[in-house]
Amino acid sequence: MLLASPASSNQTSQRNHSHRHADMEIPDTRKIPQHMEISNNNINTRSSSGANANAEQNTNYSRCSEPQDSLHSRMTPLEESHSANGNMNNTPTSCGMTSALEPAAAVVLANSDNCNHNTAGYCDVDRHIKASADEANSSPPTSSIVTESHAGNSSVCSSGVSSPMQPSHINQNIGSDNPNQSSLEFPRPNRESVLRRLSEALMSKSLTKINLSQRNLQPSDARLVKLALLQNSSLSVLKLGYNNLCDEGVVKLASGISSHSKLISLDVGFNSVGNLGCAALSKAISSTVRNGGALHTLYLAGNNITEEGAFNLAQVFKEGNGLRRLHLTENSIGPGGTKVLMDAIAENEVRSNEANEAGLISASTGLTSTQSISGDSIHITTRLAGVEELFLGGTGMGHAGCAAVANLLRKTKSLRVLSLANCCLDDEDAAVLAAAITENCKELPLRRLQLSFNNLTSKGIENLMNAAWGLTSLHELQLDHNRMESRGAQLVSAVLKGVKTLKRLDVGFNSISGTGMKLLMKTVAESASIESLSISGNHIDVMSAKAVSYALAHNKSLKSVFLDHCKIPSQGQRDITAGIVSNSKTSLEILTGFNIGGNAVSLGLPGTLGKWPNEQVLKFVLLMWNQMRREQKKNSHENQLDP
């Protein structure tokens, strides 16, 4: 349905913000509480006549850190989350989440003068490391190096500002004698001190997680990491991303992996690993599986693996394994490599499905067990699991590779995440993928579909959206950096209305404007499921800003809205701010693109807000409306007692 034309200017006043545009009404900001007193314990609302809107306010709110949105333009957010955190059990987004696999206690290798651990199972990892005051003042703090251990209940943490590709670790002291003691920040330890501390930590023989990402490790350092594998039989997570291990280092490491049965997650992304290292890893993984291993997650993103390496990985799947998450982003495996790998995964998927349907119980590492209790008996059902997350962005798969991915989509019953970002896909490829999704929509548990940085127009988007209608579990759809324009946005808005499970939508940098933006925002306003929306990179003029304002004034579920690089004029920014502030049931926590504090002040809110970051202003708006509801409830109760 096309929207009505805007009302004439003589019937509408921009000063009082009661515009009508495309069936959308910009909220009347005169109804917004004009002033709130902020103290340490109370928030009091007063009418504008009895308050000085520019009076100085006292607050105990802490400044919220801005979300890091420095994703590499050729990588998907989920892949980038891997690069920073090294575990796809973490959630893709711009914030860190703790993996369920992590043990309760941790030892953090900090650059500290006196960090003695007397608890059983912990080693004195920092006893011989001295950090001078000059080093502390001259070197910027960075993220800590973390190892985790089953034993013990105390830790020392070192954290700080990390590189743009890696979120900062949270400062914390687990099980510390002084729970109020804040963690210290230290300069980034050099490679030699990192290796020295790792050598000392190996003595505990109870490490379960090692994170040595971004530590400039060289091929010769792989020997020590291999020793860590051999000395710690319970080690389950090994993160070595963003180093310089190369083929030589990975070959050394592979011999340790082959005999390690407890390793479930391995990250060697961005290490200049080529086909030789990939072949060694593939043989090690196959050996681990034969020895009862359980490697589920393999990160190889950003390396130099080509078609030959893909053939080696394909052999792993042909032999049967438990790999559930495979990251190959930015490896030039080409059409041939993609095809042989997808065919092997599809073949393994078919075997798993047949075994599950036949009720066979296997000792394979790709098992998912469920228990049910009936009377006095316990029934255990064991199912073979296929690949659940597949990242193939920037692999140069071409039409042949895309057809192979479509063939997998027709057969899989386990694939939940599929990333095909930056694969030069066009409308023809979109039609092939859409047909496969439609054919298997009843069995396909797809939750995240990422098609960013491709060449999809509204024609390809139409085919994909028709297929998306049949998906019952789709949570995230990323279509940014394509060429859908306004017609494509209209098609996406129809899916947003029909797919009730969709929580995250990214249509940024698609040249959306006019009618497309209006229809999309009208659907967003009515959606009860959408939590994150990005329309960054689309030009938003004053008329489109009113549509965005309408959506933010009525939506109750949105938590994040991204408006970067939208060239929003000042009046449009003010209208959008008015929509946010007028929504008494808003859930908005993050908004990017412009500062809303100054606009909020111009609408009559306290002058202090002009100096606050957006997250803090949004918290204030939430508290303001909550306070009003409490006062209204209190007044209503008093009126009932004393009519």
Side-chain angles (χ1 to χ4, degrees), residues 135-450:
E135 290 176 335
N137 293 329
S138 61
S139 303
T142 62
S143 57
S144 59
I145 308 166
V146 181
T147 64
E148 296 192 356
S149 170
H150 280 308
N153 56 9
S154 65
S155 70
V156 180
C157 296
S158 169
S159 63
V161 180
S162 66
S163 69
M165 299 289 286
Q166 183 176 9
S168 300
H169 291 284
I170 299 173
N171 293 341
Q172 59 180 337
N173 285 305
I174 304 175
S176 173
D177 293 335
N178 183 3
N180 296 321
Q181 181 182 0
S182 60
S183 58
L184 302 177
E185 293 185 357
F186 298 97
R188 185 189 189 97
N190 57 32
R191 171 172 160 267
E192 289 73 18
S193 65
V194 168
L195 296 175
R196 185 163 62 250
R197 280 176 284 177
L198 179 59
S199 298
E200 297 174 359
L202 293 180
M203 297 171 61
S204 71
K205 296 186 178 182
S206 60
L207 301 178
T208 60
K209 177 179 178 181
I210 295 178
N211 183 0
L212 291 173
S213 300
Q214 295 184 338
R215 299 299 163 181
N216 193 32
L217 299 184
Q218 302 300 311
S220 59
D221 302 326
R223 181 188 61 82
L224 185 58
V225 180
K226 173 187 173 182
L227 184 60
L229 282 165
L230 298 176
Q231 292 283 344
N232 295 270
S233 60
S234 297
L235 188 68
S236 61
V237 178
L238 180 59
K239 301 180 183 181
L240 302 171
Y242 292 94
N243 285 297
N244 193 34
L245 294 176
C246 304
D247 282 340
E248 180 185 349
V250 171
V251 169
K252 292 179 182 178
L253 189 64
S255 59
I257 294 172
S258 61
S259 59
H260 201 290
S261 61
K262 295 295 179 67
L263 193 66
I264 61 174
S265 179
L266 174 64
D267 177 3
V268 288
F270 298 90
N271 267 283
S272 300
V273 179
N275 294 327
L276 183 62
C278 186
L281 275 179
S282 299
K283 292 179 181 178
I285 293 171
S286 296
S287 177
T288 300
V289 172
R290 288 192 293 270
N291 294 330
L295 187 66
H296 292 165
T297 304
L298 178 61
Y299 298 116
L300 292 171
N303 284 303
N304 303 321
I305 300 170
T306 64
E307 184 175 307
E308 179 184 345
F311 274 77
N312 289 315
L313 286 173
Q315 190 61 35
V316 175
F317 287 97
K318 288 180 180 179
E319 294 177 1
N321 66 87
L323 275 179
R324 299 178 186 176
R325 302 172 185 87
L326 179 61
H327 297 253
L328 281 174
T329 298
E330 296 300 320
N331 284 282
S332 301
I333 62 176
T338 304
K339 185 178 186 307
V340 70
L341 185 58
M342 294 303 102
D343 289 347
I345 294 175
E347 180 183 334
N348 185 55
E349 182 81 23
V350 170
R351 286 200 306 268
S352 298
N353 292 339
E354 291 176 351
N356 291 330
E357 291 173 1
L360 298 180
I361 299 178
S362 169
S364 169
T365 58
L367 297 180
T368 301
S369 298
T370 58
Q371 296 186 2
S372 60
I373 300 177
S374 176
D376 296 331
S377 62
I378 300 178
H379 305 282
I380 301 178
T381 303
T382 307
R383 296 182 60 84
L384 295 171
V387 173
E388 297 177 357
E389 298 177 7
L390 194 56
F391 293 84
L392 298 171
T395 53
M397 64 174 59
H399 296 304
C402 182
V405 173
N407 183 53
L408 173 63
L409 286 170
R410 290 187 180 93
K411 299 176 180 179
T412 181
K413 295 182 181 180
S414 58
L415 191 62
R416 300 175 183 273
V417 178
L418 177 62
S419 174
L420 302 177
N422 190 37
C423 287
C424 298
L425 304 181
D426 56 20
D427 293 340
E428 180 182 345
D429 297 316
V432 172
L433 293 173
I437 291 173
T438 301
E439 184 177 334
N440 191 30
C441 63
K442 293 183 179 180
E443 300 286 348
L444 186 62
L446 196 63
R447 295 172 62 90
R448 300 170 184 168
L449 179 60
Q450 302 174 346

